[in-house]
Amino acid sequence: MSDRRALLLDEVRKFHQDGQPNQPFIPGVTEIWPSGALLDAEDRVALVEAALDMRIAAGPLARRFESEFARKLHRRKAHLTNSGSSANLLAVSALTSDLLEDRQLRPGDEVVTVAAGFPTTVNPILQNGLVPVFVDIDLGTYNTTVERVAAAIGPKTRAIILAHTLGNPYPAREMAELADAHDLFFVEDNCDAVGSTYDGALTGTFGDLSTVSFYPAHHLTMGEGGCVLTSNLALARIVESLRDWGRDCWCPPGESNTCLKRFKYQLGTLPQGYDHKYIYSHVGYNLKATDLQAALGLTQLAKLDEFTALRRRNWRRLRERLDGVPHLLLPEATENSEPSWFGFVITVEPGAPFSRSELVAFLEDRRIGTRQLFAGNLTRHPAYLNQHYRVVGDLTNSDIVTEQTLWVGVYPALTDEMIDYVGTSIVEFVADRG
Ligand SMILES: Cc1ncc(COP(=O)(O)O)c(C=O)c1O
């Protein structure tokens, strides 16, 4: 490294340290966010370093991130995208590729999913002309069950896509076995659960494809970003093509002729020798992320284990503090799992002498940030009222979640003092109203 560069980066480190407001936590005044990024001097240095190198498009850092992330998450391939929503769009769209021949999903085919969750787990089903089949979830784990999914499988069902809700894994091994038994594709939306394990294996390793989000609320951040992972090389190739304009060529940016037959192809009705760089085998997108994002992803990735431990610790501390508090249904880890929690979910029990709105207002007044379980029951939103879908069973718990559930933060930047203040505040509220 040149002296000038080293000097600059050293200044960046100092700038970061000097900019850290060493303010004490003041209960009721200091904001306790439900989620957020934990960024240190090395993250800032990595961003500046990438900027110094003018790494403004996808390039070597994106590729390095993909290979390190794939290794960390025990998958053969990772494809970086500009968001978790794009990752879901790519994962579901990949299943519609005609390269899959008789396994290809076609318009009108059904995909089983849950009604209560984040919209962009479900949207790619609709965006591809497929039909979502909604099932309910359990309260407490906020995931669905293998039995509910099994009951929803019909003659047109071709895939399952499910998110591990707020970091809590569903029984992914059993879900993969169910998918296998019915010859269905299985996509794990792992956007909220990186680092969680089920039956001793990382979530995201059970499905044909899994997806991740790097938005600041998530377990690792790049600001904006996402990833599709798979160990199925045919699916990986389709995902890459769809992400990169639909091209047939797989040369990394800035390179040509890695296949050594760039001008020797004849595909479609194109003339013999048409430049492979500009041959399209899918109706694709451009959903790539940049090296600037990947630079941040790499320094964040180095801290994943530490972040996971902190999320678990914060969740456990709050869980112990709230144990036994009446009128609240507290979260439960799925049996045989070790979640890396995204948040701490609470459902105000039906019949409680207070409402969710009252609890939320009380907490927000104390500067304790709350969130609802994303969309709650999606079928009740204006966007979905006129969409074509099927519901199997009732959506009673999805409705309860829509009306009675909230979550508070456990993300790594929260201190013991903050977690204790959240716990004490909830205990005080319930004692006062109960
Ligand atoms: C389960 C789930 N899937 C997908 C997404 C979308 O990720 P992004 O915001 O990066 O598009 C989110 C976002 O929070 C999510 O919670």
Side-chain angles (χ1 to χ4, degrees):
M1 199 188 297
S2 75
D3 288 352
R4 195 143 175 236
R5 190 181 171 93
L7 218 61
L8 268 171
L9 296 179
D10 227 35
E11 273 308 309
V12 171
R13 246 174 232 110
K14 283 191 206 129
F15 175 86
H16 182 90
Q17 308 303 0
D18 294 349
Q20 292 306 299
N22 205 6
Q23 282 161 357
F25 169 65
I26 306 171
V29 175
T30 309
E31 198 87 49
I32 302 178
W33 298 102
S35 59
L38 183 54
L39 298 164
D40 64 15
E42 291 320 304
D43 294 317
R44 197 183 286 264
V45 166
L47 276 170
V48 172
E49 213 175 358
L52 287 176
D53 290 333
M54 299 283 205
R55 295 246 167 253
I56 54 175
L61 293 179
R63 288 213 295 287
R64 204 175 112 208
F65 179 84
E66 288 175 337
S67 90
E68 288 190 18
F69 196 53
R71 198 169 326 122
K72 183 80 185 168
L73 289 206
H74 305 165
R75 297 282 81 185
R76 288 176 77 182
K77 290 282 178 187
H79 286 99
L80 195 52
T81 65
N82 59 3
S83 73
S85 302
S86 297
N88 281 342
L89 177 61
L90 286 171
V92 174
S93 302
L95 305 181
T96 69
S97 167
D98 56 12
L99 298 182
L100 296 175
E101 300 177 349
D102 58 338
R103 293 202 76 203
Q104 170 190 16
L105 271 63
R106 294 169 196 279
D109 283 347
E110 293 183 345
V111 182
V112 182
T113 189
V114 295
F118 199 80
T120 55
T121 309
V122 171
N123 293 354
I125 304 173
L126 296 163
Q127 285 152 342
N128 278 291
L130 306 164
V131 179
V133 179
F134 291 118
V135 293
D136 206 9
I137 55 170
D138 278 346
L139 298 175
T141 64
Y142 302 93
N143 283 309
T144 194
T145 56
V146 175
E147 293 71 28
R148 283 195 188 91
V149 174
I153 296 172
K156 287 182 144 188
T157 309
R158 307 300 310 280
I160 300 168
I161 179 166
L162 296 169
H164 297 283
T165 306
L166 290 176
N168 197 16
Y170 46 79
R173 192 175 300 289
E174 291 79 354
M175 212 63 88
E177 284 164 6
L178 177 73
D180 253 12
H182 293 268
D183 196 25
L184 310 178
F185 285 110
F186 174 33
V187 180
E188 286 180 83
D189 177 335
N190 199 29
C191 286
D192 297 343
V194 171
S196 297
T197 62
Y198 178 75
D199 195 19
L202 284 168
T203 55
T205 59
F206 297 92
D208 296 291
L209 294 148
S210 63
T211 60
V212 172
S213 165
F214 299 121
Y215 188 72
H218 295 255
H219 294 59
L220 298 174
T221 192
M222 294 185 186
E224 302 284 352
C227 205
V228 185
L229 296 111
T230 183
S231 286
N232 177 325
L233 297 185
L235 285 174
R237 176 90 200 281
I238 296 167
V239 166
E240 185 167 294
S241 169
L242 282 166
R243 183 195 63 178
D244 301 356
W245 308 282
R247 67 186 184 151
D248 198 67
C249 164
W250 58 90
C251 284
E255 288 180 32
S256 294
N257 209 17
T258 31
C259 63
L260 300 176
K261 11 182 234 187
R262 179 174 165 194
F263 295 106
K264 295 198 176 118
Y265 283 89
Q266 196 287 306
L267 294 174
T269 58
L270 291 166
Q272 171 69 39
Y274 198 84
D275 187 350
H276 192 219
K277 256 178 139 28
Y278 293 96
I279 296 181
Y280 301 93
S281 44
H282 292 100
V283 178
Y285 304 92
N286 176 358
L287 301 175
K288 296 196 297 298
T290 68
D291 266 15
L292 275 167
Q293 289 161 284
L296 180 55
L298 281 161
T299 45
Q300 285 273 297
L301 184 54
K303 294 175 280 233
L304 178 60
D305 295 342
E306 181 195 333
F307 288 166
T308 305
L310 287 168
R311 283 179 180 275
R312 286 181 177 148
R313 200 178 81 125
N314 286 345
W315 186 91
R316 217 174 302 119
R317 193 173 178 97
L318 189 54
R319 185 70 179 74
E320 280 162 15
R321 186 73 190 85
L322 293 180
D323 208 39
V325 174
H327 310 302
L328 300 180
L329 180 70
L330 299 181
E332 295 292 347
T334 298
E335 204 180 314
N336 209 12
S337 80
E338 217 186 326
S340 176
W341 295 97
F342 189 88
F344 190 98
V345 210
I346 298 170
T347 296
V348 175
E349 286 179 343
F354 51 85
S355 66
R356 174 181 66 184
S357 313
E358 286 167 329
L359 175 55
V360 164
F362 178 86
L363 294 174
E364 295 277 348
D365 195 50
R366 290 189 165 199
R367 319 287 285 178
I368 297 168
T370 62
R371 293 285 182 270
Q372 300 190 353
L373 215 173
F374 304 129
N377 182 348
L378 275 167
T379 67
R380 294 171 66 174
H381 287 251
Y384 303 88
L385 292 180
N386 297 316
Q387 297 292 341
H388 178 44
Y389 59 81
R390 203 157 66 81
V391 174
V392 174
D394 57 47
L395 298 179
T396 307
N397 292 338
S398 303
D399 284 334
I400 291 176
V401 155
T402 314
E403 283 151 29
Q404 310 273 101
T405 301
L406 68 144
W407 60 271
V408 292
V410 293
Y411 76 104
L414 299 184
T415 61
D416 286 355
E417 266 180 309
M418 290 171 170
I419 293 287
D420 290 346
Y421 181 61
V422 175
T424 307
S425 296
I426 294 172
V427 170
E428 257 180 54
F429 172 84
V430 176
D432 192 43
R433 307 292 173 102

